[in-house]
Amino acid sequence: VQLQASGGGLVQPGGSLRLSCAASGFTFGLYSVGWFRLAPGKERELVASISYRDRKTYYSDSVKDRFTISRDNAKNMAYLQMNNLKSEDTGVYSCAASPRSRARDSYEYDYWGQGTLVTVSS
């Protein structure tokens, strides 16, 4: 089982990034995907998730209307499009997979990938 997040980097405030999550070793189409952020001095936070069952999405208030989560089951990929980035979006972003249709807590996720660092700074 493997989840590999990529696409992080340094971006100026107001800029955009697209994170990718490549999955292998399990039936990706039967797992919901979540993107978590670990910011300096803060607890890990679920910023977005997408259900495997109906593709219903969830966004934290901090990223709503700026981030978009999507998935391509044919490619075993998930994505996080991040627009209008702010300095407070800085952190390590990890993707995770859960067998639950609605998963909001980290303990509900079975598989985790290594994170990718996003730094928003001028």
Side-chain angles (χ1 to χ4, degrees), residues 75-118:
K75 296 181 179 179
N76 286 356
M77 294 289 295
Y79 306 96
L80 185 67
Q81 177 66 42
M82 306 185 296
N83 297 329
N84 190 21
L85 282 161
K86 305 176 181 181
S87 59
E88 51 263 43
D89 295 319
T90 294
V92 176
Y93 287 73
S94 301
C95 57
S98 170
R100 301 190 182 198
S101 178
R102 303 281 186 263
R104 298 283 183 266
D105 294 307
S106 58
Y107 74 85
E108 299 178 286
Y109 288 81
D110 291 353
Y111 306 134
W112 291 82
Q114 291 185 329
T116 184
L117 177 62
V118 172

Side-chain angles (χ1 to χ4, degrees), residues 8 14 18 32 48 52 58 64 71 73 79 82 91 97 101 114:
R18 187 195 195 204
S32 299
Y52 75 88
Y58 160 85
K64 197 172 294 182
R71 63 188 298 159
N73 289 346
Y79 306 96
M82 306 185 296
S101 178
Q114 291 185 329

